[in-house]
Amino acid sequence: MKNKEKKLKEIINHLKSTGFVFQGSEIYGGLSNTWDYGPLGVLLKENIKNLWWKEFILKESNNYGLDSKILMNPKVWEASGHVENFSDPLIENKINHKRYRADKIVEELFPEINAEAMDNKKLEKFIIENVKEYDGSKTNWTDIKKFHLMFETSQGVVEGSKNKVYLRPETAQGIFVNFEKVQRTMRAKIPFGIGQYGKSFRNEVTPGNFIFRTREFEQMELEYFVKPENSDKAYKYYVDKTTNFSTKIIGIKEESIKLRVHEKEELAHYSKGTTDIEFIFPFGWGELMGVANRSDFDLKNHEKQSGEKLSYRDHITQEIYTPYVIEPSIGLDRLMLAAIIDAYEIEEDGRIVMKLKKDISPYKLSVLPLSKKYHSKSAKKVFEKLIENGISVNYDEAGSIGKRYRRQDSIGTPICLTVIDETDSKGIITIRHRDNMKQETINIDDLEKYI
């Protein structure tokens, strides 16, 4: 376990030093578990989002995009069940006066036990009986209390319960409240989906493990509306599609993930079935993404709360029914972390290389003049031509060519283009590959076709 923790610390330090991730508000001492994405992190994040949009929206002819807002009418969260049910089990040790998530204590100390399947009373009894020391302290546990996870704020100039609104804890509800509008304006026929990505907020008791669990995070979610009797088939389709997205599109190794089907006792209040796709992080298996059959819970509750019809009339049979919803939900920050962990390697000679799939690499290419003195002018022409063609490309002329190759390897750039003497005289350019360090030369006129 210590070696795994050491690897995570090495990765975090590498990401900080190369411009992927920075500590939030660091010049003021930081803010607990907040992280800012630097220039390379932003590029990586946008590449993953664009691939998700391509696979889940553009490639599915009956799926549509949406951009709903973070602030919504608080009645949305009453109808969705979040006001009543969205909480974590909080327990306090009266000896060291620290508070913890009760289920996480059990998961950490007794990994063979399914803490999510235990209600609060069982959790409380189990911890009191079995956890006599924790976090470097003897224990005297309080009763478990519900810790509400939604962030509250006030809308307008006067604070008070009438002006209370919430920062959304998930993007899904913005889709449900717009279901009828999208269906009507797009003349959509069931089955169809509505998807979006964006920020969500959860006031976690114990955020941690770098960007794995933070209070502010990004989700990529699709709500796929189907006829109830067809929901099992659609559920399987999106379990397979979401799994393939993580491996074949993002490039995560198949041996690094596993599927975990939720037991009946641990299902969310809205779910008829849920499958988590878990990744083996340095700190253990953790949920990377999930697919849920949300049944008709959301639409029916919003219809009841709002008084607006959210059912669907079949245009052929005229049958009226409330659709079931299949939801593939992906945590963008977690997916980024998983892709980085799987790609990060330190070779025997000390070379750090991030073998990111080229589709998500921050830079697809780097243009390097062999000598800054003699080749920079020609190299900048190549760089500018690639930029004009919309390619994410980096230019680097500082230091020896060997050090520059290593620098690009360490941030995941798949290919380096080196401008040499023969570039001007013979139209030849050198191509150097990240993963095997092999080099080849091609005619510069063939570069676009090669890329």
Side-chain angles (χ1 to χ4, degrees), residues 122-275:
K122 287 182 181 178
L123 264 177
E124 185 181 292
K125 185 173 184 290
F126 184 87
I127 289 173
I128 290 171
E129 291 178 353
N130 295 281
V131 184
K132 305 300 182 183
E133 289 189 19
Y134 187 71
D135 197 15
S137 171
K138 298 286 186 181
T139 61
N140 180 12
W141 298 109
T142 65
D143 296 341
I144 286 179
K145 299 177 182 177
K146 286 185 177 182
F147 178 80
H148 205 266
L149 297 178
M150 282 201 293
F151 278 97
E152 295 181 7
T153 187
S154 294
Q155 179 176 267
V157 295
V158 180
E159 291 189 14
S161 59
K162 290 184 179 180
N163 297 335
K164 182 168 67 176
V165 292
Y166 301 97
L167 302 185
R168 67 182 181 192
E170 64 178 24
T171 62
Q173 299 305 320
I175 293 174
F176 295 130
V177 299
N178 283 293
F179 162 75
E180 186 275 334
K181 295 181 183 64
V182 173
Q183 189 274 321
R184 173 170 47 82
T185 57
M186 295 294 100
R187 295 177 296 166
K189 307 293 189 295
I190 282 185
F192 72 92
I194 306 173
Q196 68 172 337
Y197 50 69
K199 290 284 185 76
S200 294
F201 305 83
R202 296 181 184 180
N203 194 16
E204 298 277 0
V205 177
T206 53
N209 289 324
F210 192 37
I211 59 173
F212 176 80
R213 179 176 285 110
T214 54
R215 293 184 173 101
E216 176 184 349
F217 56 96
E218 284 195 67
Q219 292 178 293
M220 303 181 294
E221 291 192 309
L222 177 76
E223 309 303 325
Y224 190 69
F225 302 93
V226 299
K227 201 169 184 179
E229 53 262 41
N230 297 331
S231 64
D232 288 344
K233 182 179 178 181
Y235 175 67
K236 183 181 184 307
Y237 172 81
Y238 274 105
V239 169
D240 292 342
K241 185 178 179 73
T242 306
T243 305
N244 288 337
F245 177 74
S246 68
T247 54
K248 293 182 171 57
I249 305 299
I250 301 302
I252 291 172
K253 299 168 186 172
E254 291 187 8
E255 61 267 28
S256 296
I257 65 169
K258 68 177 181 180
L259 301 186
R260 188 179 76 83
V261 179
H262 284 211
E263 297 175 11
K264 186 176 181 180
E265 307 82 52
E266 63 178 306
L267 289 173
H269 60 279
Y270 53 75
S271 177
K272 293 291 185 183
T274 296
T275 298

Side-chain angles (χ1 to χ4, degrees), residues 368-372 396-405 407:
L368 317 175
L370 182 62
S371 164
K372 179 179 178 180
D396 191 356
E397 62 181 16
S400 69
I401 190 66
K403 286 184 177 178
R404 282 181 279 156
Y405 282 150
R407 191 181 300 150

Side-chain angles (χ1 to χ4, degrees), residues 251-378:
I252 291 172
K253 299 168 186 172
E254 291 187 8
E255 61 267 28
S256 296
I257 65 169
K258 68 177 181 180
L259 301 186
R260 188 179 76 83
V261 179
H262 284 211
E263 297 175 11
K264 186 176 181 180
E265 307 82 52
E266 63 178 306
L267 289 173
H269 60 279
Y270 53 75
S271 177
K272 293 291 185 183
T274 296
T275 298
D276 285 345
I277 299 160
E278 297 185 338
F279 178 84
I280 183 63
F281 292 94
F283 46 82
W285 290 98
E287 181 188 348
L288 192 61
M289 50 189 76
V291 181
N293 181 341
R294 296 184 71 122
S295 70
D296 56 8
F297 173 87
D298 298 279
L299 291 181
K300 279 191 171 178
N301 275 276
H302 284 304
E303 183 175 87
K304 181 180 178 181
Q305 185 82 1
S306 68
E308 298 290 331
K309 288 291 183 184
L310 296 176
S311 55
Y312 174 81
R313 181 190 291 271
D314 188 285
H315 66 291
I316 296 176
T317 66
Q318 303 304 308
E319 178 187 2
I320 298 174
Y321 60 89
T322 303
Y324 269 35
V325 179
I326 307 303
E327 178 192 72
S329 177
I330 301 174
L332 176 57
D333 308 81
R334 293 182 178 189
L335 185 55
M336 285 178 63
L337 181 57
I340 289 168
I341 289 169
D342 247 10
Y344 182 88
E345 294 182 13
I346 301 180
E347 298 181 342
E348 288 184 4
D349 64 353
R351 181 175 81 121
I352 296 176
V353 56
M354 294 231 298
K355 295 183 177 179
L356 295 167
K357 196 167 182 183
K358 62 178 173 53
D359 288 343
I360 68 169
S361 297
Y363 296 120
K364 305 297 180 283
L365 303 162
S366 185
V367 177
L368 317 175
L370 182 62
S371 164
K372 179 179 178 180
K373 183 176 180 180
Y374 298 109
H375 306 115
S376 288
K377 186 176 180 180
S378 297

